[in-house]
Amino acid sequence: MSDMRTEAPAPEPERETPSPAARLARFYETLTPASLASLGEFYAADARFKDPFNEVVGVPAIRRIFEHMFASTDAPRFVVTERVEQGDQAMLGWEFHFGLRGRALTVRGVTHLRFDAEGRVALHRDYWDAAEELYEKLPVLGGLMRALRRRLTAR
């Protein structure tokens, strides 16, 4: 008589639920005008958003910022380069790639996030240097900004 043993299949590894910061990073890396409809899944209704140009409260106002981004730039996309998480807060390092008047540009920055008890963004604060990352790369204004920087640089 032969020994006929069958082994049970190995159990599937448990899939960890991604953290709110990981989910948000993925959302931003795949952001499209159509996906803006799901912004409320990631942001609390009364979320606060601040960057060098905007300071708004609420999902509809945050959505308008991103709608404007899609309307005023060519092929905008985010690449999250770093993610640091601690408790209900996170920092995302990122690159924003886009076209403006036929020029390819990249802005680098960091976002500070604070999440509510449901894992939705309650605070979104972007930090980036508008002078270095944007103004210096534009014709005319860029020359003025670079000249000003040279005059103010300690030697």
Side-chain angles (χ1 to χ4, degrees):
M1 201 170 210
S2 68
D3 187 9
M4 300 196 59
R5 291 185 202 160
T6 58
E7 291 185 27
E12 297 254 342
E14 283 189 37
R15 291 194 176 133
E16 282 188 36
T17 302
S19 68
R23 288 180 57 241
L24 188 68
R26 177 75 178 134
F27 175 72
Y28 274 111
E29 289 188 319
T30 60
L31 192 64
T32 66
S35 67
L36 290 176
S38 63
L39 207 59
E41 295 174 26
F42 299 91
Y43 284 79
D46 60 348
R48 293 178 304 157
F49 178 101
K50 182 171 174 56
D51 70 11
F53 300 116
N54 303 281
E55 185 168 4
V56 299
V57 175
V59 173
I62 296 168
R63 183 180 302 119
R64 282 191 294 276
I65 290 169
F66 290 106
E67 288 169 344
H68 180 262
M69 174 194 75
F70 280 109
S72 61
T73 62
D74 297 323
R77 67 182 178 89
F78 291 95
V79 176
V80 176
T81 57
E82 302 285 336
R83 189 176 81 231
V84 179
E85 302 177 48
Q86 182 175 6
D88 67 348
Q89 298 188 63
M91 298 291 284
L92 300 179
W94 46 262
E95 295 177 348
F96 174 51
H97 302 273
F98 63 103
L100 189 63
R101 297 185 187 110
R103 294 186 62 196
L105 299 170
T106 300
V107 171
R108 290 167 186 82
V110 175
T111 298
H112 172 226
L113 299 163
R114 185 169 295 130
F115 297 94
D116 66 13
E118 286 79 41
R120 292 179 300 168
V121 176
L123 170 71
H124 177 138
R125 175 77 191 263
D126 284 343
Y127 295 93
W128 54 279
D129 184 346
E132 178 183 350
E133 295 292 338
L134 185 59
Y135 299 150
E136 285 188 9
K137 297 174 183 177
L138 299 175
V140 182
L141 186 56
L144 294 172
M145 294 300 294
R146 288 186 297 275
L148 182 60
R149 184 182 295 268
R150 282 192 298 272
R151 287 192 67 127
L152 297 176
T153 300
R155 293 172 205 217

